[in-house]
Every structure is written in C-alpha cells, then in structure tokens.
Amino acid sequence: MPASPPTAPCAPPSAQSQPGADAGHDGEPAARAATVLAYHARTKHRLERYAAGPETLDWDAQPDPFRRFAGAPATLLPLPGDGDDTPWSRIFAPGAVAPRWPSRDSVGLLFELSFALSAWKQSGPDRWALRCTPSSGNLHPTEAYLLTRGVADLEDGLHHYAPREHALELRARTARPDGKVGAQAPRLLVGLSSIHWREAWKYGERAFRYCQLDIGHAIGALRYAAAVLGWRVQAQPLGHAAIARLLGLDRAGDFTGAEREEAEALFELRYAPDEPASKEDLLAWIADAAWSGRASRIDARPMYRWPVIDEVALASRRDTHAAVPSLLPLAARHLPPDTDKAAAALIRLRRSAQQFDRRARLDAERFWPIAAALMPATVDAAGAPLPWDVWTAPVRVHAVLFPHRIDGLAPGAYLLPREASAHLALRAALPQLAWRRVEAAPPEVPLYEMAATPTLAGTLRTLSCHQAIGADAIFVVALLAEFHPAIDGEPWRYRELLREAGLVGQVLYLEAEAAGLRGTGIGCYFDDSVHALLGLAGNPPSRWQVVYHFSVGLPLIDPRITTEAPYDRYARQEATRP
C-alpha cells in the first residue's frame, strides 16, 4: 500500500512493549467492544490531522522483514512453480484439478505460491524483495507456520516458514505413532501470526488495522495456492490461547529479547475434501514435542511505543473454540475465454501498482467478471466460488465502486451489496441516494447506481490522503463494513471485518492481473470524510465504517527499477547452514 504521509509529533521514544503471547484479557464483551471501537475511532485519519505515527523514518534502520529461529534445523523446499502450467481458469472449476498427494514437492509449491518471494527489485543502491502475498508498505508482519504429520521427506511437527530461503525451520519435532511414514494419512495445517512492530515502525497506531488486512490477504493467497494443488482450505476456529500454543508463540523463553508474535489463525489443507474432518485434539500433537530454535530480533533499537496496539489486540482476541465449519461446496465460476494463463505464473506476477496511466480505459464487459469475483455466492449454485469457500463467517463487508473510465458504466458512485440481506440495511442507511439497479450488469452482480459524479477523480485523490493512485485508476473500491451489531457482543469480530476486507483486496489483486491490469491497496484514507461523501455521517457513523480502499488501473512501469529472480540456489544453501 502507498505510505501514510508524515504525522504530528507523538509518544517519546521508548522500548517496544513485549506482551506475552499467552496473556489473557480482562472485562466483559461490552467493555472489550468499547476498547475496540475506541481504537478504531482514535486511529482514523482526518483532513486536519493524521492518526498518531512516527515523526520520521530511518529507512536504514527498518525492521528486518525476515525472522529466523536460531538453532532450528532448516529444510530447503523445492521451487516447482516454473514447471506448473495449471490454467488459471481451471482452478475455479470444481474437480478440474486433481488433488496432489502431500509431499515435500507439493508443500514447496504451496508456499512458493503463497508466502514466498516473487522477485527482487533494485533502484540504485536500494534493493528489496517482493512476495506473492501483498503487505502494507511491503513490511510483511505476517509469519506462516506449518504443522505436518505423515508427509514424506518432512519431519512431523511444527515448522516456521522462512521466505528468504524458501525453507522450513523445525520448531517442534513430534513422534510418529509407530515411527514410520504412512502409519496414518498425512495431515497439514497452516498457522498465521503477526509481528505488530513491523507495521507500527512505519504506521504507528493504525498498524493493527493493517496487520489484520494483511491476514486477509494471506488467507486469500493460501486459498489460491491450495487451489493449484487441487486442495481445499478449512478454517480451524480455535481460541487464541490454543493457536498460540500450537504455533509455539506462548513459549516466552524462545522470544527472549525478540519481538513477540500475535497468534491469528489456523487452517487445515484438505487434499481429500470428501473425507470427514478429523476430530483429533490438535494440542495433543505437540504435548510431548521436542522444541528447538530462538526467535531473531527484528529491530534492535525501536524508537517508539504504541501501547494502544497491545490494548486492542488483547480486547479483540477470541476466547473460545467454535465448531469446525463444514466445507462449503465449491461453486463453478464463468471466466472470460482468454484467461488460460498459468495460475502459478499469474500469482507470482502479482504486484502493487505505484502509478497508473490516467488515459487507460476498460470495457464494461471486462469489468463485470472482476466485480462478480467479489461475490461470495453465485446465482445458480448453493456453494461458494473460489476463494470464498474458505470464508465461513457472515458476510459484512460491501463494496462501494467508483468507476472513472469504464466504457458502458457512467462515472459515479455505485454500491455492490455482497450479501442479499444486507441490501435492505444499506438502503435504510442511505435513503437519500438513487438506488437505481444497473440493468447492464449480469445477474450475479447486483450493482446499484447511487449518484452520477463525472468529476469524482479529484475528490477520490483527496479522500485517499491526496494520493494520485486514487485519481488515476480506472476504478476505485471503498470497502464498507457493518460494525454493529457484529462487534457489540463479540469484539473479536473486529479482526474478522478487517480480514474480510483484506480477502476482497487479494481477489482484486489477482483479478486485475488476470485482466492485464494491476491493483494496489490503499490503507491511507480520511475515514469520516469518506462517510460524509456517502451520506453516512449521522446513521450513526460508527455502525458503517470504511475499512479499506483499493484501486485498479493500467500500471506505469518505472524503467529505473530492475527486477531479479526471487531465489539464488547457492544463497539459499548458504543461508540454511547451521
């Protein structure tokens, strides 16, 4: 995402706080919900001032984007992406991709297409890595873990994924039931965590929002990668403490002197989706594990402290387990006939645009498939299309579309309710708008014209923190989330809303690439000014909140920036030596 502008002076320099990953929280849900809502209000950007952040940035002292666990044995993963020609269109057709057997090779492809590096970039003396998973400011607070059992050529236990080396670090070794591979069917689970400081270093108090958006992006990246393998992804809705235990994040001694990680989510990879979900107690896996590795420190000299991030993290943790949801049927999706690019190549080409060609246009017939991809259900099927089969929570994030230059769709403001029952609630909140159904839209895209505004580009530039990326795009999306009653009794749903918005962003990233365009997430916008533009200021303003902006257009490529391959085999081998 483009960076936030400099902010006003804030808290004095101090050491970064290090709350324990196993810390509890006090207060009833209502009190915790109040903490969450107060955080969201406090971290809004406003036209007269930005949310609290650092006064200055020393890019030479940027936190290390790559965590390692010293003393944990590392296993290099294969990089089979170049040889995988599974068409992009086939991963959306149920049963079209035969499931691959879990192996070191298939795990290598899973991570190569989800959390791995996609390229190195260089401009003058500056060199930086890009990843398949997007991140605010390219800071990458998300860490990924793999729990395995019965996979050939991989140790049973918990592994930390090291993206720079494309390797697995064995954090906990567990014993196979009879000491042999094949005694039980393989199981694979992927866990996600956040290192808040990676975002807070640049974005200050607003960083918690961006970490949750990034988790949503990561969920999408995992789902698309699994689809290339013919696998499904099933959420494991455990409580915070259980996920922290499974990922080793509650082991304070392993993080001495290093930044702690916040446990976020856990997913099982289903390579045989017709098999019933296991009822095994996952915590029993690691009860007698042999642990290894100590976390590296990512910032030796943090200059600021943002205690409000710790407060909202504590207040928004999920306490209890929920039942594992059934796998939703995967619904077919119809794509344009010219989308047979290799899925692996398209996924690794995903980039965040830095500039758009303001003259570029898009035909409405090319726009409708992009809009349809945002819908979590199809008209003619009871299931959900990729990647929405992974999302089992209620749909509470809806799209406000601002087309600038789409032939066949007049410039203006449009609303796309992503769930049928939300239409009435949104209409009640915005009665002053036109609500004209766009007849040219296909049935699966229930798009409503709210207002015709042919000169909206300048306004969107202003509302997107004065960034040209909002004005020069072909179209912009503002994602509107329903905060009440979702958060009132279940404050952990705050994370859920932001993750849903991030998942929408991941869909837009890849749909833009498939259409020959490019997207970029915009985390910097003036929250309440966007609400005022939509007419939400008095409904009350806290019920509906804009949680993310996204723009899509034709990118302008800077010829001064060179691109290099993501991995050098010799460097990978050197980096994994003890």
Side-chain angles (χ1 to χ4, degrees):
M1 302 175 198
S4 297
T7 61
C10 46
S14 64
Q16 182 199 3
S17 62
Q18 300 290 320
D22 55 352
H25 42 64
D26 299 319
E28 296 299 319
R32 292 164 51 199
T35 298
V36 166
L37 294 171
Y39 166 81
H40 192 80
R42 170 182 177 142
T43 56
K44 289 180 178 181
H45 288 320
R46 307 181 190 278
L47 282 167
E48 65 274 14
R49 60 108 178 128
Y50 290 97
E55 293 179 276
T56 186
L57 292 175
D58 179 1
W59 285 99
D60 292 332
Q62 179 181 349
D64 189 344
F66 302 111
R67 164 154 280 175
R68 295 296 304 271
F69 282 87
T75 301
L76 290 177
L77 291 173
L79 289 162
D82 284 342
D84 194 288
D85 58 0
T86 303
W88 173 252
S89 58
R90 291 193 69 189
I91 69 174
F92 295 92
V97 180
R100 306 186 201 185
W101 188 253
S103 66
R104 185 164 159 264
D105 281 346
S106 57
V107 168
L109 184 60
L110 178 78
F111 280 96
E112 184 181 5
L113 301 185
S114 54
F115 304 108
L117 307 188
S118 57
W120 283 94
K121 294 284 187 176
Q122 185 154 354
S123 178
D126 298 320
R127 188 171 184 264
W128 64 97
L130 301 181
R131 304 192 197 184
C132 292
T133 308
S135 173
S136 310
N138 200 34
L139 296 172
H140 296 284
T142 306
E143 296 289 322
Y145 292 82
L146 178 70
L147 281 157
T148 61
R149 186 179 65 193
V151 178
D153 300 322
L154 285 180
E155 292 270 11
D156 283 4
L158 173 72
H159 305 257
H160 170 255
Y161 177 63
R164 181 173 51 192
E165 297 76 23
H166 190 53
L168 293 177
E169 298 178 301
L170 183 60
R171 286 279 288 125
R173 179 182 282 107
T174 58
R176 289 188 167 127
D178 66 353
K180 296 187 296 183
V181 176
Q184 290 184 312
R187 287 192 73 183
L188 304 96
L189 297 101
V190 171
L192 303 175
S193 69
S194 295
I195 302 179
H196 291 147
W197 181 245
R198 280 211 184 108
E199 290 293 316
W201 170 82
K202 181 177 182 181
Y203 294 113
E205 291 187 347
R206 203 170 166 98
F208 183 79
R209 295 190 186 201
Y210 297 163
C211 288
Q212 295 306 311
L213 290 172
D214 277 9
I215 291 293
H217 285 300
I219 293 170
L222 178 65
R223 180 64 191 99
Y224 283 110
V228 178
L229 291 158
W231 296 353
R232 303 286 300 277
V233 177
Q234 187 173 29
Q236 303 291 305
L238 302 181
H240 173 270
I243 297 176
R245 177 73 194 280
L246 279 167
L247 303 185
L249 307 182
D250 63 346
R251 296 176 56 81
D254 293 351
F255 290 86
T256 301
E259 298 80 1
R260 297 295 289 270
E261 298 179 24
E262 176 77 3
E264 299 285 10
L266 185 71
F267 301 89
E268 180 152 15
L269 282 304
R270 299 291 300 278
Y271 58 91
D274 293 335
E275 292 292 323
S278 172
K279 298 185 182 301
E280 179 184 10
D281 180 7
L282 290 173
L283 289 173
W285 273 26
I286 60 168
D288 299 315
W291 289 85
S292 61
R294 292 173 64 92
S296 61
R297 188 165 187 176
I298 65 168
D299 189 349
R301 292 178 293 277
M303 294 182 62
Y304 290 86
R305 182 176 181 270
W306 309 107
V308 70
I309 294 177
D310 301 334
E311 293 169 9
V312 70
L314 218 58
S316 63
R317 288 175 178 171
R318 182 173 188 154
D319 300 323
T320 57
H321 302 352
V324 176
S326 300
L327 278 173
L328 292 172
L330 186 61
R333 183 185 158 209
H334 303 293
L335 279 81
D338 58 345
T339 51
D340 276 346
K341 304 172 183 177
L346 189 150
I347 288 170
R348 291 181 299 159
L349 281 174
R350 186 220 60 82
R351 305 283 188 269
S352 293
Q354 301 302 309
Q355 288 181 295
F356 288 132
D357 183 347
R358 66 183 64 179
R359 301 164 299 175
R361 305 190 66 85
L362 182 69
D363 188 88
E365 293 305 311
R366 302 291 295 177
F367 170 72
W368 299 131
I370 299 175
L374 306 185
M375 301 301 293
T378 62
V379 172
D380 56 355
L386 181 73
W388 298 109
D389 61 322
V390 77
W391 191 257
T392 56
V395 174
R396 290 194 173 98
V397 174
H398 307 280
V400 182
L401 298 167
F402 300 101
H404 294 329
R405 291 179 300 280
I406 296 179
D407 296 329
L409 195 61
Y414 297 77
L415 202 144
L416 181 65
R418 297 181 53 251
E419 197 274 330
S421 65
H423 174 231
L424 293 179
L426 287 163
R427 194 158 192 157
L430 299 165
Q432 74 281 11
L433 299 179
W435 286 96
R436 288 187 292 268
R437 179 70 183 257
V438 177
E439 298 299 331
E444 65 270 22
V445 182
L447 188 64
Y448 294 85
E449 183 180 7
M450 314 303 285
T453 49
T455 58
L456 189 61
T459 300
L460 285 175
R461 176 175 183 146
T462 299
L463 293 178
S464 297
C465 296
H466 310 289
Q467 298 176 91
I469 207 82
D472 297 342
I474 291 174
F475 67 91
V476 173
V477 181
L479 294 176
L480 189 64
E482 185 175 12
F483 271 44
H484 300 294
I487 294 174
D488 296 342
E490 297 175 312
W492 52 267
R493 290 198 185 274
Y494 180 57
R495 300 189 189 213
E496 199 172 74
L497 294 175
L498 293 167
R499 292 175 188 180
E500 184 180 352
L503 181 53
V504 172
Q506 186 69 4
V507 172
L508 285 168
Y509 266 120
L510 293 181
E511 290 295 322
E513 295 289 343
L517 302 171
R518 187 146 289 169
T520 192
I522 305 175
C524 187
Y525 51 84
F526 298 118
D527 302 52
D528 288 340
S529 297
V530 178
H531 301 152
L533 174 71
L534 297 174
L536 286 170
N539 282 301
S542 59
R543 176 172 182 181
W544 296 94
Q545 295 284 296
V546 174
V547 291
Y548 198 16
H549 278 195
F550 201 95
S551 57
V552 174
L554 185 66
L556 293 174
I557 307 302
D558 189 338
R560 298 170 297 177
I561 300 177
T562 59
T563 302
E564 301 173 13
Y567 292 105
D568 175 88
R569 192 165 300 277
Y570 175 77
R572 289 177 69 209
Q573 291 171 343
E574 287 296 306
T576 55
R577 290 187 178 182

